[in-house]
Amino acid sequence: QKLILSNNRLKLFSPSLLQINNLTELSLSNNKLTELPEQLGDLRNVVCLYVSHNMLQSLPRTIGRLTKLRVLDIRYNNMKVLPDSMSELCSLERLQAYCNELERLPEGIGSCSRLKVLRISSNRLASLPVSLGNLALLETLDVHNNKLNHLPDCVCELTGLIELHVGDNDISYFNENISGMTKLQTLKANSNGLQCLPTFIDSIKNLRYLHIRNNNIRTLPETMNNLEHLQVFDAKNNPIHFPPREVWERGLSAIKAYFEEIKRSGSSRSSRLKITVLGAESCGKTSFIHCLTKNCVPEKVQPTIGIEVTRWIPVEDPNMAFILWDHSGNPMYDSTHQFFFSPGSLVFLVVNLAQYQYDDPTSYHTCVGKFVKMLRQFGGESVIQIVGTHADNCNINDISNKSDEIIRNIQADVNAKTKDFDHRINAAREMVELFQRYQKSHNHSEVAPYTSPSPLSPSASEDPVNDVVDLIRKVKVNQPKFLSNVPKVCGKVEMTGIRDFRRILFKLTQDKKRYPTVELFLPKSWLELEKEVKILKEESSVPVIPLQMLVDIAQEKDPQFKDKDIMEALLYLHMTGEVLHFVGIPGLKDYVFVSPTWLIDVIKCVINPSLKYTLQTGSGGDSRMAKTKLASLWQKFNMDTDQYSLLQTLATAFGLWYPEQNGYVVPTLMKPSGMEDAIKNVVTIKDMVPGSEYSRCPTTLCQATNTRSS
């Protein structure tokens, strides 16, 4: 018989109800009970006992008499200890005790010889009893969110374990004994202090799901290639530089291909750093880059149109290469920035201190704030250095006040975002718990008796709160990091501050913790392919070539270089900006842009302030551009038919324009009226959709509106 008294706000439980001798299931969950009677031990036939979501301080000592008990659910209470008599629960198969205040487990827990599932997460456990290693049938152990500072030997003795969750502790390493856990399929160790993965990780031959996000792991062992059954590998938010970020973020197949290619062709060191340079119009970005890289003041500076790329090899370190991407401050280019931002790069946010107005929110937004938001949307995990220019046009007090205000406002923005994330985390917890209560109150469903975990659904969790919270926390951790100083430079002959800034830059890049990817070890075959691409750029006037042509060139140099490995090398070169290969866009995946700067120049011809003026003052007076006009703009590039078609496909795919019968509509060239006003009215969706999608909104909205009106 079953007795279901859940969701009744009970504060007391009458012992008279315990006189049902043939009771097999008792549910008292979701009440307000603070204690259970000692007579509970008289229910000798009970198999399942559910008392979760109460205010229980402890269990009665007579609990040990329930020798037929298979499932015990005591989640979400206030228990600090469990009675030693629990060691007498010889039939217990499933114990759920997470979200309590447990400081220790009974020493005799190892006597529960039939225990298969033990969930004791979100408690205060700093150690585990030695006898835990005696649980030969244990298949699932969840101890995440406790206070463990190492993985106890007793856990490593659980050779029958299939799932192990040890995340949100303070474990810095795995000892060698874990190699004996040959049946382990799921290992979750997120948010610890792990410094590395052990080389003997391949001893866990059946491992299928490995989660190690939010740790301090810098290298992955090559022995990972021996984990033949591994299906899911999650290492987000680690400073891993071997393999490079561009490799391991693409998952297991990319990691395995990287290690296999190093084994085949060997490896070489490559030192480089991509620097993104942002700032408002006329802030001095281009002059700053010229002074920094050429060590002299430019005679004349033209405003940046689109993007300019400068490759700089400093005399101080000829083995180091900096690639500086100077983004135009003209707002009409905001939609093109998405092509060229890279997570984890160094960003110089240049501010004209002479133009910046102290104590003026509009000035802060124009010069700093809008770029801060842009970097949150596109530049995850980047490090941002504010650079103050035109310092010679400000007095000392102005420089100090403006610099302090900029940092103060950025910090306030970061703090507000952090609070917002914390609020969302708390809201997620409340919503999921509310849903659980609602579900139980309407269905009277409790935790089902134990069944073997399915390897096809390892992420299924009986405590989904942490899954939701972990997702929000991931976004929070991925936010850019802002440095707290503002170096000041100016363009006078003596180049005040430039030499000091060079020293700051070299010091920054020597910080291996902050920039682990500056020094990389890559397969020699990848670097040889990069050399071939550079030769194509220098010796050939063809900026885009068929993919198969590049494959043929690579295999002529190295006949053992397989097609799939060439694709891996191309993906890496794409992510570092050496080439552009859009594998996910039909019509583009069979071609490689070996000269990204050529593509930038082509886009500049269309997304151009002078063209905007021409169109708005012409007979049409709008953003419509005839096909003949586009052809004349691109005439100087001497494109063949295939190149012309490729560019139209790319521009349409990325929302730069949309085609009409006789031409194209380019929303960024519109007058500040009419449709543009309609587009501005949807500005409130900015915080509700990904930034890359919002930047395409004008094109999509114009196209939809034009179609409906016609």
Side-chain angles (χ1 to χ4, degrees):
Q1 291 186 2
K2 297 181 180 180
L3 179 59
I4 309 296
L5 296 174
S6 301
N7 304 295
N8 282 297
R9 300 185 180 181
L10 296 177
K11 294 184 178 180
L12 297 173
F13 181 64
S14 174
S16 62
L17 294 173
L18 301 177
Q19 297 177 6
I20 308 174
N21 294 328
N22 57 349
L23 191 66
T24 59
E25 181 176 326
L26 174 60
S27 177
L28 298 169
S29 297
N30 292 307
N31 284 295
K32 296 185 178 182
L33 299 173
T34 57
E35 62 179 356
L36 296 174
E38 290 292 330
Q39 291 90 331
L40 185 70
D42 296 335
L43 297 175
R44 303 298 178 92
N45 293 311
V46 74
V47 174
C48 299
L49 175 60
Y50 305 105
V51 292
S52 68
H53 295 86
N54 279 285
M55 295 180 284
L56 299 173
Q57 303 284 330
S58 63
L59 291 174
R61 289 173 296 176
T62 56
I63 190 77
R65 299 177 189 173
L66 306 181
T67 55
K68 295 183 180 180
L69 188 66
R70 293 174 54 203
V71 178
L72 176 58
D73 182 7
I74 56 175
R75 300 169 294 146
Y76 292 98
N77 279 287
N78 301 322
M79 300 184 191
K80 292 186 177 180
V81 295
L82 298 176
D84 292 335
S85 58
M86 284 192 62
S87 61
E88 301 169 19
L89 298 175
C90 55
S91 299
L92 190 64
E93 296 181 5
R94 186 182 191 95
L95 173 58
Q96 306 229 118
Y98 56 84
C99 295
N100 276 281
E101 299 176 12
L102 295 175
E103 297 177 350
R104 66 176 180 86
L105 292 179
E107 289 296 328
I109 190 72
S111 298
C112 300
S113 58
R114 295 188 181 181
L115 197 61
K116 296 180 179 179
V117 177
L118 178 58
R119 297 190 182 277
I120 46 177
S121 61
S122 299
N123 281 288
R124 300 177 181 176
L125 299 169
S127 63
L128 298 174
V130 175
S131 68
L132 190 74
N134 299 332
L135 298 175
L137 300 181
L138 195 66
E139 296 182 347
T140 298
L141 175 61
D142 185 352
V143 292
H144 83 264
N145 194 22
N146 276 285
K147 297 184 177 181
L148 301 175
N149 58 20
H150 69 284
L151 191 65
D153 290 338
C154 61
V155 173
C156 299
E157 294 170 6
L158 299 170
T159 55
L161 209 60
I162 294 175
E163 294 188 36
L164 176 60
H165 304 257
V166 293
D168 293 282
N169 282 284
D170 194 23
I171 299 171
S172 59
Y173 68 96
F174 290 127
N175 61 42
E176 293 186 7
N177 293 339
I178 198 174
S179 61
M181 304 174 74
T182 56
K183 293 184 179 180
L184 195 66
Q185 295 181 15
T186 299
L187 174 57
K188 290 188 175 183
N190 299 329
S191 302
N192 275 283
L194 290 174
Q195 302 292 319
C196 65
L197 275 182
T199 55
F200 49 81
I201 190 71
D202 60 334
S203 300
I204 312 176
K205 298 185 181 299
N206 288 300
L207 194 61
R208 299 184 181 185
Y209 309 98
L210 178 57
H211 300 259
I212 53 170
R213 68 171 62 169
N214 303 327
N215 281 288
N216 197 32
I217 296 172
R218 297 178 181 276
T219 63
L220 299 179
E222 295 185 36
T223 51
M224 281 189 62
N225 261 24
N226 301 328
L227 293 172
E228 298 179 357
H229 301 290
L230 194 61
Q231 299 174 20
V232 175
F233 176 62
D234 182 0
K236 295 291 178 64
N237 306 325
N238 278 282
I240 298 172
H241 62 89
F242 181 78
R245 172 197 296 272
E246 293 84 356
V247 172
W248 65 262
E249 279 194 338
R250 290 190 287 109
L252 281 171
S253 60
I255 294 172
K256 289 184 177 182
Y258 171 86
F259 282 132
E260 287 172 359
E261 193 57 23
I262 279 184
K263 185 177 181 180
R264 186 191 72 83
S265 69
S267 65
S268 293
R269 192 183 76 166
S270 173
S271 299
R272 68 182 79 188
L273 180 64
K274 178 180 178 179
I275 301 176
T276 300
V277 187
L278 297 171
E281 290 183 279
S282 304
C283 67
K285 293 187 282 65
T286 305
S287 296
F288 164 66
I289 292 173
H290 189 282
C291 292
L292 181 67
T293 59
K294 301 187 182 302
N295 207 26
C296 64
V297 179
E299 295 181 3
K300 187 177 181 181
V301 177
Q302 295 292 334
T304 303
I305 298 177
I307 297 174
E308 297 289 346
V309 181
T310 301
R311 189 179 184 90
W312 172 42
I313 299 177
V315 294
E316 294 90 338
D317 186 357
N319 295 318
M320 181 71 192
F322 295 97
I323 300 93
L324 295 100
W325 292 65
D326 180 8
H327 291 251
S328 172
N330 192 318
M332 69 184 301
Y333 292 107
D334 288 351
S335 63
T336 65
H337 292 332
Q338 59 180 304
F339 301 154
F340 310 106
F341 276 16
S342 301
S345 64
L346 176 61
V347 178
F348 292 158
L349 179 47
V350 180
V351 181
N352 185 334
L353 293 177
Q355 288 184 353
Y356 182 85
Q357 299 298 310
Y358 182 76
D359 200 20
D360 182 351
T362 301
S363 181
Y364 171 77
H365 171 77
T366 302
C367 299
V368 183
K370 75 170 187 177
F371 297 104
V372 170
K373 187 169 186 178
M374 188 184 299
L375 290 166
R376 281 208 308 264
Q377 292 173 337
F378 297 107
E381 297 183 281
S382 296
V383 177
I384 291 86
Q385 173 69 69
I386 308 295
V387 181
T389 60
H390 298 82
D392 51 308
N393 295 328
C394 305
N395 61 50
I396 295 177
N397 289 334
D398 275 350
I399 292 176
S400 178
N401 291 336
K402 291 178 179 181
S403 300
D404 291 346
E405 182 185 80
I406 290 170
I407 296 300
R408 190 166 57 249
N409 286 343
I410 289 176
Q411 191 59 53
D413 183 80
V414 171
N415 291 342
K417 201 66 180 176
T418 301
K419 288 181 180 179
D420 178 58
F421 280 122
D422 292 339
H423 171 74
R424 290 172 189 240
I425 289 173
N426 293 331
R429 291 184 184 277
E430 292 173 3
M431 290 180 67
V432 175
E433 290 178 18
L434 183 63
F435 174 75
Q436 289 175 325
R437 291 174 183 266
Y438 172 83
Q439 190 179 44
K440 290 180 179 180
S441 65
H442 283 70
N443 299 329
H444 299 289
S445 61
E446 294 292 350
V447 179
Y450 171 78
T451 55
S452 297
S454 168
L456 299 178
S457 57
S459 59
S461 172
E462 292 171 5
D463 183 16
V465 176
N466 283 286
D467 294 335
V468 177
V469 169
D470 200 36
L471 182 62
I472 301 173
R473 186 184 295 147
K474 170 185 168 184
V475 178
K476 175 182 176 181
V477 172
N478 276 343
Q479 293 298 293
K481 308 297 187 296
F482 292 86
L483 302 181
S484 58
N485 62 323
V486 181
K488 292 85 178 175
V489 297
C490 68
K492 294 291 186 181
V493 175
E494 64 270 19
M495 295 203 307
T496 304
I498 292 293
R499 293 179 180 83
D500 290 338
F501 188 84
R502 288 166 73 105
R503 285 192 288 270
I504 292 174
L505 175 59
F506 292 129
K507 185 176 180 180
L508 282 174
T509 55
Q510 290 170 4
D511 186 345
K512 294 295 188 289
K513 184 176 181 180
R514 182 169 280 158
Y515 301 106
T517 61
V518 168
E519 185 174 276
L520 302 176
F521 288 90
L522 299 174
K524 287 183 178 179
S525 57
W526 291 16
L527 294 173
E528 288 298 322
L529 181 62
E530 184 179 24
K531 288 180 182 178
E532 293 300 322
V533 168
K534 289 179 179 177
I535 291 173
L536 281 172
K537 292 179 186 178
E538 295 169 0
E539 298 182 357
S540 172
S541 59
V542 181
V544 54
I545 63 173
L547 171 62
Q548 189 58 48
M549 180 186 293
L550 191 59
V551 171
D552 292 341
I553 292 172
Q555 291 179 341
E556 183 179 356
K557 189 89 174 178
D558 181 358
Q560 302 302 316
F561 205 178
K562 297 179 181 178
D563 288 13
K564 67 179 182 66
D565 297 320
I566 293 174
M567 294 302 297
E568 290 295 335
L570 269 179
L571 281 170
Y572 171 77
L573 294 177
H574 170 86
M575 297 186 75
T576 57
E578 293 294 337
V579 302
L580 292 176
H581 183 216
F582 302 103
V583 292
I585 302 177
L588 295 178
K589 61 185 179 68
D590 295 327
Y591 292 86
V592 179
F593 291 87
V594 294
S595 177
T597 54
W598 176 85
L599 179 59
I600 294 169
D601 291 338
V602 170
I603 293 175
K604 286 179 186 179
C605 289
V606 181
I607 313 299
N608 189 300
S610 61
L611 178 61
K612 181 174 183 177
Y613 175 80
T614 301
L615 288 175
Q616 290 182 3
T617 57
S619 58
D622 60 18
S623 63
R624 285 167 176 78
M625 181 170 55
K627 291 182 179 180
T628 53
K629 177 65 176 177
L630 182 63
S632 67
L633 289 173
W634 285 350
Q635 185 176 8
K636 64 180 179 180
F637 295 104
N638 297 318
M639 298 182 197
D640 58 30
T641 304
D642 288 341
Q643 293 172 355
Y644 190 85
S645 177
L646 281 174
L647 288 169
Q648 292 181 72
T649 301
L650 182 143
T652 303
F654 281 97
L656 297 181
W657 63 58
Y658 71 90
E660 287 189 322
Q661 184 175 0
N662 297 316
Y664 304 91
V665 173
V666 188
T668 53
L669 303 181
M670 298 182 74
K671 284 184 177 181
S673 60
M675 184 59 67
E676 191 174 30
D677 290 336
I679 294 170
K680 287 182 178 178
N681 287 335
V682 299
V683 71
T684 53
I685 72 168
K686 272 190 176 181
D687 295 322
M688 300 165 62
V689 298
S692 58
E693 297 305 317
Y694 178 81
S695 65
R696 301 177 193 180
C697 180
T699 302
T700 307
L701 185 59
C702 282
Q703 185 173 9
T705 305
N706 185 67
T707 301
R708 178 171 296 182
S709 63
S710 61

